[in-house]
Structures are given as structure tokens and as C-alpha cells.
Amino acid sequence: MASSGTLAGVVNPYAEGLMGLAQANDLTPKISEDIGFLMGLINDSDSFYAFLSNPLVSDESKKSLLRKSVSEHLHPYTFNFLMILIDRKRMSLLKNICSKYQDIYRKLNKIALAEVVSAVPLSDDQQEAVRQKVIQITGAHSVELESQIDADLIGGVVIKVGSQVLDASLKGQLRRIGLSLSS
């Protein structure tokens, strides 16, 4: 397995190249939308990504699948980028390249990514309150939320932005009370 430095050395130029193309053509929001669409497919279908990243599957079979399944949903630049990845035998890195592209896009547009774990799904008002809190903490222009449900929290939320963690869960409060009582 390649080290993370080696992986970054291969992934970063592809993500940066796609970003450069998007910026040069004033398409950064559209290409970012395409990348989000691709990440959704990758995350929703293990077999889709396994097929594309399998070195034993022919390049033409991969291209055919993409033509049939995603070509009408993607900007031609994004679709052609996928074809280049196939030609260069880099489809196994697609998930990493997409993730890096999204990181670059967020940084350029001052968008914070907040991972939110809650005991129950958050309402729209609660999601907006989380967004406002993250904007207040980070100074970002906007916030993307990645939500997860963890019934063990009992109530409240845990918000992670980068290396910062804000634990406003009932489980976290009980743990802190227990620590203060034991000391």
C-alpha cells in the first residue's frame, strides 16, 4: 500500500488540475456539483466504484458504463476528466481525487465542513442553528453539514470542524459531570 505522502503526490495534481480547468472556464460551482454527484454514487454503490477501480476490467467497459450512467449528469469537462483517469489507470484514486477537489473548493470559497453527530435527525431550524454556530466559530462564509445519527448520544449534538470538537451531547455532559465528581 502506498504511503499517504505518495498518495497525495498522485492525487493532488489531478485535483488541482481539475480545479485549474474549472477556474479557467468559470465552472468551479458546476464542477464541484459534479464531484458531489460522483461522490454520492461512490458512497451509495460499492459495486459501482469496485467496477471502475478494478484493474481487470477493460478501459472500454469502464468508459461504456460511465457513458451510460453519468455522461448526461456531468459537464463535458468532468466527464472527459473521468476518461483521462481511466486512460491513465487512476480510477482507483477517484474517491481521493474527488475528496481533495472538494477540499480545495471549500478552501477557495471559505466553506466550512462540519460533521454533526446527533441522537435523532436534526430539524431544518436545528441545522441552521448549527450552521450559524460553525460560522461564528470559524468565520466561514457558509457551512456544509455531514450528518450522522448515534442513538448512544442520548440527546444533543457533537460538532466537528477540522480538529475542533464541540460536544454538546447529553452523553458528553454526563461524562464531564462524572469526571468532576470523581476528582
Side-chain angles (χ1 to χ4, degrees), residues 71-103:
S71 64
E72 72 239 15
H73 301 287
L74 302 176
H75 188 277
Y77 289 165
T78 309
F79 185 77
N80 289 338
F81 180 76
L82 294 175
M83 298 299 107
I84 290 169
L85 292 179
I86 291 170
D87 291 340
R88 294 190 179 167
K89 312 290 186 218
R90 300 292 193 202
M91 282 307 279
S92 63
L93 300 174
L94 180 61
K95 186 184 287 190
N96 298 89
I97 293 167
C98 289
S99 180
K100 182 63 178 176
Y101 180 91
Q102 289 178 319
D103 290 345

PDB file of all heavy atoms in Angstrom, residues 71-103:
ATOM      1  N   SER A  71     -22.898  10.297 -18.055  1.00  0.00           N
ATOM      2  CA  SER A  71     -22.494  11.335 -19.006  1.00  0.00           C
ATOM      3  C   SER A  71     -23.498  12.485 -19.099  1.00  0.00           C
ATOM      4  O   SER A  71     -23.111  13.639 -19.220  1.00  0.00           O
ATOM      5  CB  SER A  71     -22.235  10.742 -20.395  1.00  0.00           C
ATOM      6  OG  SER A  71     -23.421  10.211 -20.936  1.00  0.00           O
ATOM      7  N   GLU A  72     -24.788  12.191 -19.015  1.00  0.00           N
ATOM      8  CA  GLU A  72     -25.785  13.267 -19.131  1.00  0.00           C
ATOM      9  C   GLU A  72     -25.895  14.112 -17.864  1.00  0.00           C
ATOM     10  O   GLU A  72     -26.459  15.191 -17.881  1.00  0.00           O
ATOM     11  CB  GLU A  72     -27.150  12.707 -19.514  1.00  0.00           C
ATOM     12  CG  GLU A  72     -27.809  11.948 -18.400  1.00  0.00           C
ATOM     13  CD  GLU A  72     -28.130  10.501 -18.757  1.00  0.00           C
ATOM     14  OE1 GLU A  72     -27.607   9.981 -19.737  1.00  0.00           O
ATOM     15  OE2 GLU A  72     -28.934   9.913 -18.027  1.00  0.00           O
ATOM     16  N   HIS A  73     -25.343  13.637 -16.751  1.00  0.00           N
ATOM     17  CA  HIS A  73     -25.406  14.371 -15.487  1.00  0.00           C
ATOM     18  C   HIS A  73     -24.192  15.263 -15.260  1.00  0.00           C
ATOM     19  O   HIS A  73     -24.224  16.102 -14.356  1.00  0.00           O
ATOM     20  CB  HIS A  73     -25.512  13.391 -14.310  1.00  0.00           C
ATOM     21  CG  HIS A  73     -26.699  12.498 -14.379  1.00  0.00           C
ATOM     22  ND1 HIS A  73     -27.986  12.934 -14.137  1.00  0.00           N
ATOM     23  CD2 HIS A  73     -26.807  11.173 -14.679  1.00  0.00           C
ATOM     24  CE1 HIS A  73     -28.823  11.920 -14.282  1.00  0.00           C
ATOM     25  NE2 HIS A  73     -28.142  10.847 -14.606  1.00  0.00           N
ATOM     26  N   LEU A  74     -23.142  15.062 -16.050  1.00  0.00           N
ATOM     27  CA  LEU A  74     -21.885  15.760 -15.804  1.00  0.00           C
ATOM     28  C   LEU A  74     -21.560  16.753 -16.912  1.00  0.00           C
ATOM     29  O   LEU A  74     -21.900  16.529 -18.073  1.00  0.00           O
ATOM     30  CB  LEU A  74     -20.727  14.754 -15.712  1.00  0.00           C
ATOM     31  CG  LEU A  74     -20.833  13.664 -14.654  1.00  0.00           C
ATOM     32  CD1 LEU A  74     -19.653  12.710 -14.776  1.00  0.00           C
ATOM     33  CD2 LEU A  74     -20.895  14.265 -13.269  1.00  0.00           C
ATOM     34  N   HIS A  75     -20.863  17.819 -16.527  1.00  0.00           N
ATOM     35  CA  HIS A  75     -20.333  18.740 -17.528  1.00  0.00           C
ATOM     36  C   HIS A  75     -19.332  17.963 -18.372  1.00  0.00           C
ATOM     37  O   HIS A  75     -18.640  17.076 -17.866  1.00  0.00           O
ATOM     38  CB  HIS A  75     -19.646  19.922 -16.822  1.00  0.00           C
ATOM     39  CG  HIS A  75     -19.256  21.001 -17.772  1.00  0.00           C
ATOM     40  ND1 HIS A  75     -18.097  20.937 -18.497  1.00  0.00           N
ATOM     41  CD2 HIS A  75     -19.890  22.150 -18.126  1.00  0.00           C
ATOM     42  CE1 HIS A  75     -18.012  22.007 -19.262  1.00  0.00           C
ATOM     43  NE2 HIS A  75     -19.089  22.760 -19.063  1.00  0.00           N
ATOM     44  N   PRO A  76     -19.214  18.271 -19.662  1.00  0.00           N
ATOM     45  CA  PRO A  76     -18.253  17.549 -20.512  1.00  0.00           C
ATOM     46  C   PRO A  76     -16.823  17.566 -19.970  1.00  0.00           C
ATOM     47  O   PRO A  76     -16.096  16.577 -20.131  1.00  0.00           O
ATOM     48  CB  PRO A  76     -18.341  18.283 -21.855  1.00  0.00           C
ATOM     49  CG  PRO A  76     -19.721  18.859 -21.874  1.00  0.00           C
ATOM     50  CD  PRO A  76     -20.037  19.199 -20.446  1.00  0.00           C
ATOM     51  N   TYR A  77     -16.407  18.626 -19.309  1.00  0.00           N
ATOM     52  CA  TYR A  77     -15.052  18.665 -18.736  1.00  0.00           C
ATOM     53  C   TYR A  77     -14.890  17.607 -17.646  1.00  0.00           C
ATOM     54  O   TYR A  77     -13.859  16.947 -17.568  1.00  0.00           O
ATOM     55  CB  TYR A  77     -14.714  20.039 -18.163  1.00  0.00           C
ATOM     56  CG  TYR A  77     -14.497  21.130 -19.191  1.00  0.00           C
ATOM     57  CD1 TYR A  77     -14.489  22.460 -18.804  1.00  0.00           C
ATOM     58  CD2 TYR A  77     -14.299  20.854 -20.533  1.00  0.00           C
ATOM     59  CE1 TYR A  77     -14.285  23.478 -19.714  1.00  0.00           C
ATOM     60  CE2 TYR A  77     -14.096  21.859 -21.449  1.00  0.00           C
ATOM     61  CZ  TYR A  77     -14.092  23.178 -21.047  1.00  0.00           C
ATOM     62  OH  TYR A  77     -13.886  24.167 -21.961  1.00  0.00           O
ATOM     63  N   THR A  78     -15.900  17.462 -16.821  1.00  0.00           N
ATOM     64  CA  THR A  78     -15.834  16.462 -15.756  1.00  0.00           C
ATOM     65  C   THR A  78     -15.836  15.066 -16.353  1.00  0.00           C
ATOM     66  O   THR A  78     -15.056  14.196 -15.935  1.00  0.00           O
ATOM     67  CB  THR A  78     -17.020  16.613 -14.780  1.00  0.00           C
ATOM     68  OG1 THR A  78     -17.123  17.970 -14.355  1.00  0.00           O
ATOM     69  CG2 THR A  78     -16.856  15.712 -13.568  1.00  0.00           C
ATOM     70  N   PHE A  79     -16.695  14.857 -17.338  1.00  0.00           N
ATOM     71  CA  PHE A  79     -16.753  13.543 -17.986  1.00  0.00           C
ATOM     72  C   PHE A  79     -15.419  13.218 -18.659  1.00  0.00           C
ATOM     73  O   PHE A  79     -14.902  12.101 -18.525  1.00  0.00           O
ATOM     74  CB  PHE A  79     -17.903  13.489 -18.996  1.00  0.00           C
ATOM     75  CG  PHE A  79     -18.074  12.136 -19.605  1.00  0.00           C
ATOM     76  CD1 PHE A  79     -18.679  11.117 -18.891  1.00  0.00           C
ATOM     77  CD2 PHE A  79     -17.606  11.861 -20.881  1.00  0.00           C
ATOM     78  CE1 PHE A  79     -18.820   9.847 -19.434  1.00  0.00           C
ATOM     79  CE2 PHE A  79     -17.735  10.603 -21.430  1.00  0.00           C
ATOM     80  CZ  PHE A  79     -18.344   9.595 -20.713  1.00  0.00           C
ATOM     81  N   ASN A  80     -14.844  14.176 -19.361  1.00  0.00           N
ATOM     82  CA  ASN A  80     -13.548  13.945 -20.014  1.00  0.00           C
ATOM     83  C   ASN A  80     -12.448  13.694 -18.992  1.00  0.00           C
ATOM     84  O   ASN A  80     -11.532  12.908 -19.243  1.00  0.00           O
ATOM     85  CB  ASN A  80     -13.185  15.118 -20.924  1.00  0.00           C
ATOM     86  CG  ASN A  80     -14.060  15.160 -22.162  1.00  0.00           C
ATOM     87  OD1 ASN A  80     -14.640  14.161 -22.565  1.00  0.00           O
ATOM     88  ND2 ASN A  80     -14.185  16.336 -22.752  1.00  0.00           N
ATOM     89  N   PHE A  81     -12.546  14.336 -17.851  1.00  0.00           N
ATOM     90  CA  PHE A  81     -11.590  14.093 -16.769  1.00  0.00           C
ATOM     91  C   PHE A  81     -11.647  12.628 -16.334  1.00  0.00           C
ATOM     92  O   PHE A  81     -10.613  11.989 -16.131  1.00  0.00           O
ATOM     93  CB  PHE A  81     -11.881  15.035 -15.595  1.00  0.00           C
ATOM     94  CG  PHE A  81     -10.958  14.866 -14.429  1.00  0.00           C
ATOM     95  CD1 PHE A  81      -9.664  15.369 -14.479  1.00  0.00           C
ATOM     96  CD2 PHE A  81     -11.368  14.209 -13.286  1.00  0.00           C
ATOM     97  CE1 PHE A  81      -8.793  15.214 -13.402  1.00  0.00           C
ATOM     98  CE2 PHE A  81     -10.514  14.050 -12.209  1.00  0.00           C
ATOM     99  CZ  PHE A  81      -9.218  14.554 -12.275  1.00  0.00           C
ATOM    100  N   LEU A  82     -12.852  12.089 -16.231  1.00  0.00           N
ATOM    101  CA  LEU A  82     -13.004  10.674 -15.876  1.00  0.00           C
ATOM    102  C   LEU A  82     -12.368   9.769 -16.939  1.00  0.00           C
ATOM    103  O   LEU A  82     -11.739   8.768 -16.609  1.00  0.00           O
ATOM    104  CB  LEU A  82     -14.478  10.317 -15.692  1.00  0.00           C
ATOM    105  CG  LEU A  82     -15.194  10.976 -14.522  1.00  0.00           C
ATOM    106  CD1 LEU A  82     -16.675  10.623 -14.534  1.00  0.00           C
ATOM    107  CD2 LEU A  82     -14.561  10.591 -13.198  1.00  0.00           C
ATOM    108  N   MET A  83     -12.534  10.159 -18.197  1.00  0.00           N
ATOM    109  CA  MET A  83     -11.943   9.365 -19.282  1.00  0.00           C
ATOM    110  C   MET A  83     -10.405   9.374 -19.170  1.00  0.00           C
ATOM    111  O   MET A  83      -9.750   8.349 -19.403  1.00  0.00           O
ATOM    112  CB  MET A  83     -12.374   9.900 -20.650  1.00  0.00           C
ATOM    113  CG  MET A  83     -13.871   9.843 -20.929  1.00  0.00           C
ATOM    114  SD  MET A  83     -14.578   8.185 -20.920  1.00  0.00           S
ATOM    115  CE  MET A  83     -15.474   8.212 -19.376  1.00  0.00           C
ATOM    116  N   ILE A  84      -9.853  10.517 -18.806  1.00  0.00           N
ATOM    117  CA  ILE A  84      -8.393  10.616 -18.618  1.00  0.00           C
ATOM    118  C   ILE A  84      -7.951   9.711 -17.468  1.00  0.00           C
ATOM    119  O   ILE A  84      -6.939   9.016 -17.570  1.00  0.00           O
ATOM    120  CB  ILE A  84      -7.976  12.079 -18.366  1.00  0.00           C
ATOM    121  CG1 ILE A  84      -8.137  12.887 -19.652  1.00  0.00           C
ATOM    122  CG2 ILE A  84      -6.542  12.170 -17.844  1.00  0.00           C
ATOM    123  CD1 ILE A  84      -8.009  14.394 -19.460  1.00  0.00           C
ATOM    124  N   LEU A  85      -8.716   9.717 -16.372  1.00  0.00           N
ATOM    125  CA  LEU A  85      -8.371   8.850 -15.246  1.00  0.00           C
ATOM    126  C   LEU A  85      -8.377   7.381 -15.660  1.00  0.00           C
ATOM    127  O   LEU A  85      -7.519   6.603 -15.229  1.00  0.00           O
ATOM    128  CB  LEU A  85      -9.320   9.075 -14.066  1.00  0.00           C
ATOM    129  CG  LEU A  85      -9.235  10.423 -13.359  1.00  0.00           C
ATOM    130  CD1 LEU A  85     -10.268  10.494 -12.235  1.00  0.00           C
ATOM    131  CD2 LEU A  85      -7.842  10.681 -12.815  1.00  0.00           C
ATOM    132  N   ILE A  86      -9.316   7.009 -16.493  1.00  0.00           N
ATOM    133  CA  ILE A  86      -9.357   5.625 -16.980  1.00  0.00           C
ATOM    134  C   ILE A  86      -8.127   5.345 -17.846  1.00  0.00           C
ATOM    135  O   ILE A  86      -7.444   4.341 -17.650  1.00  0.00           O
ATOM    136  CB  ILE A  86     -10.661   5.344 -17.759  1.00  0.00           C
ATOM    137  CG1 ILE A  86     -11.850   5.353 -16.803  1.00  0.00           C
ATOM    138  CG2 ILE A  86     -10.559   4.011 -18.517  1.00  0.00           C
ATOM    139  CD1 ILE A  86     -13.205   5.315 -17.475  1.00  0.00           C
ATOM    140  N   ASP A  87      -7.842   6.239 -18.779  1.00  0.00           N
ATOM    141  CA  ASP A  87      -6.692   6.040 -19.676  1.00  0.00           C
ATOM    142  C   ASP A  87      -5.380   5.938 -18.911  1.00  0.00           C
ATOM    143  O   ASP A  87      -4.486   5.198 -19.302  1.00  0.00           O
ATOM    144  CB  ASP A  87      -6.606   7.174 -20.702  1.00  0.00           C
ATOM    145  CG  ASP A  87      -7.741   7.135 -21.718  1.00  0.00           C
ATOM    146  OD1 ASP A  87      -8.368   6.063 -21.885  1.00  0.00           O
ATOM    147  OD2 ASP A  87      -8.007   8.191 -22.339  1.00  0.00           O
ATOM    148  N   ARG A  88      -5.278   6.672 -17.819  1.00  0.00           N
ATOM    149  CA  ARG A  88      -4.031   6.683 -17.047  1.00  0.00           C
ATOM    150  C   ARG A  88      -4.043   5.683 -15.887  1.00  0.00           C
ATOM    151  O   ARG A  88      -3.184   5.723 -15.016  1.00  0.00           O
ATOM    152  CB  ARG A  88      -3.767   8.094 -16.525  1.00  0.00           C
ATOM    153  CG  ARG A  88      -3.487   9.047 -17.678  1.00  0.00           C
ATOM    154  CD  ARG A  88      -3.003  10.355 -17.209  1.00  0.00           C
ATOM    155  NE  ARG A  88      -2.731  11.223 -18.345  1.00  0.00           N
ATOM    156  CZ  ARG A  88      -2.527  12.509 -18.250  1.00  0.00           C
ATOM    157  NH1 ARG A  88      -2.544  13.092 -17.065  1.00  0.00           N
ATOM    158  NH2 ARG A  88      -2.301  13.237 -19.324  1.00  0.00           N
ATOM    159  N   LYS A  89      -5.057   4.822 -15.879  1.00  0.00           N
ATOM    160  CA  LYS A  89      -5.162   3.768 -14.851  1.00  0.00           C
ATOM    161  C   LYS A  89      -5.206   4.355 -13.435  1.00  0.00           C
ATOM    162  O   LYS A  89      -4.592   3.850 -12.513  1.00  0.00           O
ATOM    163  CB  LYS A  89      -3.997   2.769 -14.944  1.00  0.00           C
ATOM    164  CG  LYS A  89      -3.720   2.247 -16.328  1.00  0.00           C
ATOM    165  CD  LYS A  89      -4.802   1.324 -16.800  1.00  0.00           C
ATOM    166  CE  LYS A  89      -4.393   0.705 -18.151  1.00  0.00           C
ATOM    167  NZ  LYS A  89      -5.500   0.566 -19.041  1.00  0.00           N
ATOM    168  N   ARG A  90      -5.968   5.425 -13.262  1.00  0.00           N
ATOM    169  CA  ARG A  90      -6.063   6.108 -11.971  1.00  0.00           C
ATOM    170  C   ARG A  90      -7.474   6.089 -11.376  1.00  0.00           C
ATOM    171  O   ARG A  90      -7.742   6.803 -10.412  1.00  0.00           O
ATOM    172  CB  ARG A  90      -5.620   7.574 -12.104  1.00  0.00           C
ATOM    173  CG  ARG A  90      -4.203   7.762 -12.565  1.00  0.00           C
ATOM    174  CD  ARG A  90      -3.245   7.307 -11.521  1.00  0.00           C
ATOM    175  NE  ARG A  90      -1.890   7.750 -11.819  1.00  0.00           N
ATOM    176  CZ  ARG A  90      -0.811   7.177 -11.333  1.00  0.00           C
ATOM    177  NH1 ARG A  90      -0.907   6.170 -10.529  1.00  0.00           N
ATOM    178  NH2 ARG A  90       0.376   7.624 -11.657  1.00  0.00           N
ATOM    179  N   MET A  91      -8.365   5.274 -11.899  1.00  0.00           N
ATOM    180  CA  MET A  91      -9.735   5.263 -11.374  1.00  0.00           C
ATOM    181  C   MET A  91      -9.809   4.795  -9.931  1.00  0.00           C
ATOM    182  O   MET A  91     -10.718   5.166  -9.205  1.00  0.00           O
ATOM    183  CB  MET A  91     -10.650   4.408 -12.251  1.00  0.00           C
ATOM    184  CG  MET A  91     -11.095   5.107 -13.522  1.00  0.00           C
ATOM    185  SD  MET A  91     -11.853   6.725 -13.264  1.00  0.00           S
ATOM    186  CE  MET A  91     -13.498   6.255 -12.807  1.00  0.00           C
ATOM    187  N   SER A  92      -8.835   4.020  -9.487  1.00  0.00           N
ATOM    188  CA  SER A  92      -8.843   3.580  -8.086  1.00  0.00           C
ATOM    189  C   SER A  92      -8.622   4.765  -7.145  1.00  0.00           C
ATOM    190  O   SER A  92      -8.881   4.675  -5.951  1.00  0.00           O
ATOM    191  CB  SER A  92      -7.776   2.519  -7.846  1.00  0.00           C
ATOM    192  OG  SER A  92      -6.490   3.056  -8.086  1.00  0.00           O
ATOM    193  N   LEU A  93      -8.171   5.892  -7.693  1.00  0.00           N
ATOM    194  CA  LEU A  93      -7.930   7.093  -6.886  1.00  0.00           C
ATOM    195  C   LEU A  93      -9.080   8.102  -6.977  1.00  0.00           C
ATOM    196  O   LEU A  93      -8.993   9.188  -6.402  1.00  0.00           O
ATOM    197  CB  LEU A  93      -6.630   7.775  -7.328  1.00  0.00           C
ATOM    198  CG  LEU A  93      -5.365   6.927  -7.218  1.00  0.00           C
ATOM    199  CD1 LEU A  93      -4.183   7.668  -7.823  1.00  0.00           C
ATOM    200  CD2 LEU A  93      -5.106   6.552  -5.779  1.00  0.00           C
ATOM    201  N   LEU A  94     -10.131   7.752  -7.703  1.00  0.00           N
ATOM    202  CA  LEU A  94     -11.225   8.698  -7.932  1.00  0.00           C
ATOM    203  C   LEU A  94     -11.793   9.263  -6.636  1.00  0.00           C
ATOM    204  O   LEU A  94     -11.993  10.475  -6.515  1.00  0.00           O
ATOM    205  CB  LEU A  94     -12.346   8.050  -8.754  1.00  0.00           C
ATOM    206  CG  LEU A  94     -13.543   8.940  -9.051  1.00  0.00           C
ATOM    207  CD1 LEU A  94     -13.136  10.170  -9.864  1.00  0.00           C
ATOM    208  CD2 LEU A  94     -14.629   8.157  -9.778  1.00  0.00           C
ATOM    209  N   LYS A  95     -12.033   8.408  -5.657  1.00  0.00           N
ATOM    210  CA  LYS A  95     -12.608   8.874  -4.388  1.00  0.00           C
ATOM    211  C   LYS A  95     -11.676   9.895  -3.726  1.00  0.00           C
ATOM    212  O   LYS A  95     -12.120  10.946  -3.270  1.00  0.00           O
ATOM    213  CB  LYS A  95     -12.841   7.693  -3.451  1.00  0.00           C
ATOM    214  CG  LYS A  95     -13.566   8.055  -2.176  1.00  0.00           C
ATOM    215  CD  LYS A  95     -13.683   6.881  -1.224  1.00  0.00           C
ATOM    216  CE  LYS A  95     -14.685   5.882  -1.695  1.00  0.00           C
ATOM    217  NZ  LYS A  95     -14.997   4.838  -0.690  1.00  0.00           N
ATOM    218  N   ASN A  96     -10.377   9.607  -3.715  1.00  0.00           N
ATOM    219  CA  ASN A  96      -9.412  10.521  -3.107  1.00  0.00           C
ATOM    220  C   ASN A  96      -9.301  11.831  -3.896  1.00  0.00           C
ATOM    221  O   ASN A  96      -9.190  12.906  -3.303  1.00  0.00           O
ATOM    222  CB  ASN A  96      -8.035   9.851  -3.021  1.00  0.00           C
ATOM    223  CG  ASN A  96      -8.053   8.620  -2.160  1.00  0.00           C
ATOM    224  OD1 ASN A  96      -8.306   7.530  -2.664  1.00  0.00           O
ATOM    225  ND2 ASN A  96      -7.806   8.763  -0.880  1.00  0.00           N
ATOM    226  N   ILE A  97      -9.322  11.731  -5.219  1.00  0.00           N
ATOM    227  CA  ILE A  97      -9.229  12.920  -6.061  1.00  0.00           C
ATOM    228  C   ILE A  97     -10.461  13.805  -5.847  1.00  0.00           C
ATOM    229  O   ILE A  97     -10.341  15.021  -5.688  1.00  0.00           O
ATOM    230  CB  ILE A  97      -9.067  12.540  -7.547  1.00  0.00           C
ATOM    231  CG1 ILE A  97      -7.701  11.870  -7.765  1.00  0.00           C
ATOM    232  CG2 ILE A  97      -9.228  13.755  -8.452  1.00  0.00           C
ATOM    233  CD1 ILE A  97      -7.549  11.183  -9.120  1.00  0.00           C
ATOM    234  N   CYS A  98     -11.628  13.191  -5.808  1.00  0.00           N
ATOM    235  CA  CYS A  98     -12.867  13.948  -5.577  1.00  0.00           C
ATOM    236  C   CYS A  98     -12.841  14.625  -4.209  1.00  0.00           C
ATOM    237  O   CYS A  98     -13.218  15.797  -4.082  1.00  0.00           O
ATOM    238  CB  CYS A  98     -14.083  13.034  -5.686  1.00  0.00           C
ATOM    239  SG  CYS A  98     -14.461  12.491  -7.360  1.00  0.00           S
ATOM    240  N   SER A  99     -12.400  13.902  -3.208  1.00  0.00           N
ATOM    241  CA  SER A  99     -12.325  14.456  -1.857  1.00  0.00           C
ATOM    242  C   SER A  99     -11.364  15.644  -1.812  1.00  0.00           C
ATOM    243  O   SER A  99     -11.665  16.685  -1.218  1.00  0.00           O
ATOM    244  CB  SER A  99     -11.889  13.372  -0.886  1.00  0.00           C
ATOM    245  OG  SER A  99     -11.816  13.871   0.420  1.00  0.00           O
ATOM    246  N   LYS A 100     -10.211  15.502  -2.447  1.00  0.00           N
ATOM    247  CA  LYS A 100      -9.235  16.594  -2.482  1.00  0.00           C
ATOM    248  C   LYS A 100      -9.791  17.788  -3.247  1.00  0.00           C
ATOM    249  O   LYS A 100      -9.605  18.938  -2.836  1.00  0.00           O
ATOM    250  CB  LYS A 100      -7.917  16.113  -3.109  1.00  0.00           C
ATOM    251  CG  LYS A 100      -6.844  17.180  -3.141  1.00  0.00           C
ATOM    252  CD  LYS A 100      -6.453  17.597  -1.729  1.00  0.00           C
ATOM    253  CE  LYS A 100      -5.352  18.640  -1.763  1.00  0.00           C
ATOM    254  NZ  LYS A 100      -5.019  19.129  -0.427  1.00  0.00           N
ATOM    255  N   TYR A 101     -10.480  17.555  -4.359  1.00  0.00           N
ATOM    256  CA  TYR A 101     -11.094  18.647  -5.114  1.00  0.00           C
ATOM    257  C   TYR A 101     -12.077  19.412  -4.221  1.00  0.00           C
ATOM    258  O   TYR A 101     -12.078  20.641  -4.200  1.00  0.00           O
ATOM    259  CB  TYR A 101     -11.819  18.129  -6.368  1.00  0.00           C
ATOM    260  CG  TYR A 101     -12.452  19.250  -7.159  1.00  0.00           C
ATOM    261  CD1 TYR A 101     -11.752  19.875  -8.171  1.00  0.00           C
ATOM    262  CD2 TYR A 101     -13.736  19.704  -6.865  1.00  0.00           C
ATOM    263  CE1 TYR A 101     -12.315  20.931  -8.876  1.00  0.00           C
ATOM    264  CE2 TYR A 101     -14.305  20.748  -7.554  1.00  0.00           C
ATOM    265  CZ  TYR A 101     -13.591  21.364  -8.563  1.00  0.00           C
ATOM    266  OH  TYR A 101     -14.148  22.426  -9.246  1.00  0.00           O
ATOM    267  N   GLN A 102     -12.899  18.665  -3.491  1.00  0.00           N
ATOM    268  CA  GLN A 102     -13.870  19.318  -2.609  1.00  0.00           C
ATOM    269  C   GLN A 102     -13.172  20.134  -1.526  1.00  0.00           C
ATOM    270  O   GLN A 102     -13.630  21.224  -1.177  1.00  0.00           O
ATOM    271  CB  GLN A 102     -14.808  18.285  -1.988  1.00  0.00           C
ATOM    272  CG  GLN A 102     -15.783  17.706  -2.982  1.00  0.00           C
ATOM    273  CD  GLN A 102     -16.678  16.641  -2.382  1.00  0.00           C
ATOM    274  OE1 GLN A 102     -16.234  15.814  -1.598  1.00  0.00           O
ATOM    275  NE2 GLN A 102     -17.940  16.652  -2.774  1.00  0.00           N
ATOM    276  N   ASP A 103     -12.063  19.621  -1.000  1.00  0.00           N
ATOM    277  CA  ASP A 103     -11.290  20.379  -0.003  1.00  0.00           C
ATOM    278  C   ASP A 103     -10.787  21.694  -0.594  1.00  0.00           C
ATOM    279  O   ASP A 103     -10.878  22.746   0.044  1.00  0.00           O
ATOM    280  CB  ASP A 103     -10.092  19.566   0.504  1.00  0.00           C
ATOM    281  CG  ASP A 103     -10.481  18.385   1.369  1.00  0.00           C
ATOM    282  OD1 ASP A 103     -11.653  18.331   1.828  1.00  0.00           O
ATOM    283  OD2 ASP A 103      -9.616  17.507   1.585  1.00  0.00           O
TER     284      ASP A 103
END
